């Protein structure tokens, strides 16, 4: 029998009796619900629920999707993702034919160890070396090939949004700009946004950080100037504009607010060139280069462009601020901004 919490969560966005695919709130709610479907698939597996007892089906069936394929982690054998296919031929570009969704961390004994190791790999910019990411990339490549030009979406929550972000970046680098919905994506840096209340202090810290990073960038990469001119990953990624959904009370993702706002402020005060250098690099990668250490891949959280949606409503605790269910709530005070990377040097 389902718990009271599961019955509550099963409600989801049931007020969406008809989907307007041109409405960002509707698209956001569908994307969040499909991620919830992955969580429920894994809960059904762990609790051995099958057939009429299983609780996952409504999360995609309500929106006329069918479950095409489950992504199974090869280490803990958990369900970590799913590929959904729209039941009917998509009559419009805004309706995805396929959606690939990734869940976040599940705090259960048979999944938490593997999920925490993946979170650590994400922090160390080594998520691309994990077998779960390799599985995700393989499935996305196959789905894009199968789609034959129809729309394919990526979506994920928390650790799952890190996975979707990395997949989306890799696809964008080969000119496949997939529509992507990232819920509470981890920003792997000092959480200035939530850690300090004084706006002047935050601006000062970020300004100093930008100047130091820009200086280190010139020092470390100046000798590679001509090579950088030939291929700049940030410029290559700039046409891809994922949707990010963050809560200022969630320290895992809140720094995205300051990351993009600071870039805008630096342009406004006439020092955008400094920030355009700084925003491409993480402090850790730059110091690793100074010390001659191979830091591996670029920092996952660095993004040229984004549609950023901030939930300005007050939630009672961290679990609410980091929770997926807030994103299908039609009543939260929403602040949405579009940030496009300025490629002008």
């Amino acid at each position: 029998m389902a718990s009271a919490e599961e019955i509550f969560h099963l409600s989801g966005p049931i007020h969406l009796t008809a989907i307007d695919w041109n409405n960002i709130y509707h698209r956001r709610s569908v994307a969040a619900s499909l991620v919830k479907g992955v969580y429920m698939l894994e809960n059904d597996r762990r609790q051995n629920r099958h057939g009429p007892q299983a609780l996952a089906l409504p999360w995609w069936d309500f929106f006329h999707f069918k479950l095409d394929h489950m992504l199974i982690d090869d280490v803990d054998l958990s369900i970590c993702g799913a590929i959904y296919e729209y039941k009917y031929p998509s009559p419009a570009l805004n309706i995805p034919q396929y959606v690939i969704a990734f869940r976040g961390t599940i705090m259960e004994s048979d999944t938490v160890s593997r999920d925490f190791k993946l979170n650590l790999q994400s922090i160390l910019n080594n998520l691309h070396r994990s077998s779960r990411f390799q599985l995700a990339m393989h499935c996305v490549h196959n789905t894009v090939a199968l789609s034959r030009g129809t729309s394919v979406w990526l979506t994920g929550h928390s650790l799952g949004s890190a996975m979707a972000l990395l997949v989306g970046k890799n696809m964008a680098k080969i000119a496949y700009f997939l529509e992507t919905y990232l819920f509470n994506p981890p920003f792997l840096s000092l959480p200035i946004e939530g850690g300090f209340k004084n706006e002047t202090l935050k601006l000062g810290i970020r300004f100093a950080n930008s100047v130091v990073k820009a200086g280190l960038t010139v020092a470390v990469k100046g000798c590679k100037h001509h090579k950088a001119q030939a291929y700049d990953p940030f410029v290559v990624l700039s046409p891809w504009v994922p949707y990010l959904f963050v809560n200022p009370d969630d320290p895992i993702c809140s720094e995205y607010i300051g990351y993009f706002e600071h870039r805008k402020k630096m342009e406004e005060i006439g020092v955008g060139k400094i920030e355009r250098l700084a925003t491409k690099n993480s402090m850790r990668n730059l110091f690793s280069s100074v010390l001659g250490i191979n830091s591996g891949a670029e920092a996952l959280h660095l993004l040229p462009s984004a549609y950023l949606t901030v939930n300005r409503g007050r939630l009672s605790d961290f679990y609410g601020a980091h929770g997926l269910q807030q994103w299908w709530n039609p009543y939260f005070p929403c602040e949405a901004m579009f940030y496009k990377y300025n490629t002008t040097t």
Side-chain angles (χ1 to χ4, degrees):
M1 181 177 291
S3 67
E5 180 183 5
E6 287 169 328
I7 292 171
F8 171 77
H9 284 318
L10 268 177
S11 62
I14 56 174
H15 53 280
L16 291 181
T17 55
I19 303 299
D20 176 1
W21 290 97
N22 293 312
N23 184 315
I24 180 57
Y25 160 63
H26 289 197
R27 299 205 308 276
R28 180 189 80 213
S29 298
V30 171
S33 296
L34 295 179
V35 175
K36 182 66 177 181
V38 182
Y39 280 106
M40 297 305 293
L41 279 167
E42 173 55 20
N43 288 344
D44 284 345
R45 183 197 70 85
R46 285 188 298 101
Q47 298 182 31
N48 201 30
R49 294 192 296 246
H50 304 282
Q53 285 73 44
L55 300 177
L57 177 64
W59 289 98
W60 59 84
D61 187 66
F62 187 80
F63 302 109
H64 308 297
F65 284 91
K66 61 183 178 182
L67 181 62
D68 180 76
H69 184 72
M70 293 184 294
L71 280 64
I72 310 297
D73 187 276
D74 66 340
V75 175
D76 64 4
L77 303 181
S78 69
I79 299 169
C80 58
I83 302 173
Y84 303 102
E85 182 180 1
Y86 197 63
K87 291 180 180 180
Y88 314 106
S90 297
L93 290 176
N94 281 340
I95 303 179
Q97 192 63 46
Y98 295 95
V99 179
I100 302 137
F102 305 96
R103 67 163 175 84
T105 302
I106 293 180
M107 301 293 289
E108 297 290 344
S109 58
D110 51 350
T111 56
V112 69
S113 175
R114 172 61 167 163
D115 287 350
F116 270 18
K117 286 178 181 177
L118 289 165
N119 281 309
L120 180 60
Q121 284 186 281
S122 180
I123 293 170
L124 297 175
N125 297 329
N126 285 326
L127 190 59
H128 63 289
R129 295 177 179 168
S130 69
S131 58
R132 186 178 292 187
F133 170 73
Q134 297 300 327
L135 171 64
M137 278 303 308
H138 174 75
C139 290
V140 171
H141 273 297
N142 286 351
T143 303
V144 169
L146 184 65
S147 70
R148 298 181 180 180
T150 57
S151 179
V152 177
W153 286 8
L154 299 174
T155 185
H157 173 245
S158 193
L159 171 62
S161 67
M163 195 73 66
L165 174 56
L166 186 54
V167 170
K169 278 188 167 185
N170 277 268
M171 295 301 291
K173 288 176 182 177
I174 56 173
Y176 286 98
F177 303 112
L178 304 182
E179 191 160 327
T180 303
Y181 295 81
L182 306 172
F183 301 100
N184 303 84
F187 191 98
L188 309 173
S189 184
L190 179 68
I192 300 171
E193 186 66 27
F196 303 92
K197 299 302 180 184
N198 187 292
E199 293 298 323
T200 303
L201 178 60
K202 287 195 287 189
L203 177 60
I205 293 172
R206 290 196 176 104
F207 185 86
N209 187 57
S210 295
V211 171
V212 172
K213 285 202 295 183
L216 284 173
T217 300
V218 172
V220 170
K221 302 183 179 182
C223 61
K224 302 176 183 178
H225 175 73
H226 295 297
K227 182 178 179 181
Q229 287 283 355
Y231 179 77
D232 185 338
F234 230 62
V235 173
V236 171
L237 285 175
S238 61
W240 179 56
V241 189
Y243 292 87
L244 275 62
F245 302 93
V246 304
N247 190 305
D249 294 325
D250 177 8
I252 291 175
C253 67
S254 63
E255 189 53 28
Y256 270 112
I257 302 169
Y259 174 74
F260 285 109
E261 283 185 354
H262 180 64
R263 188 188 300 175
K264 181 180 177 182
K265 287 177 182 176
M266 293 288 276
E267 292 284 353
E268 289 172 349
I269 64 176
V271 288
K273 190 172 183 178
I274 292 176
E275 185 58 22
R276 286 194 292 276
L277 280 174
T279 197
K280 298 178 182 182
N281 300 283
S282 70
M283 194 70 82
R284 184 176 63 197
N285 280 14
L286 288 170
F287 274 119
S288 296
S289 297
V290 168
L291 297 172
I293 300 171
N294 183 2
S295 59
E298 64 197 41
L300 177 61
H301 62 270
L302 302 179
L303 275 173
S305 308
Y307 293 104
L308 181 69
T309 298
V310 180
N311 182 355
R312 293 294 183 184
R314 305 301 298 181
L315 294 166
S316 58
D317 54 23
F318 165 76
Y319 296 102
H322 191 65
L324 182 60
Q325 62 270 20
Q326 66 184 299
W327 301 115
W328 58 71
N329 179 354
Y331 304 113
F332 76 81
C334 165
E335 181 179 298
M337 292 78 67
F338 170 58
Y339 296 99
K340 188 75 168 68
Y341 181 66
N342 183 355
T343 56
T344 304
T345 56

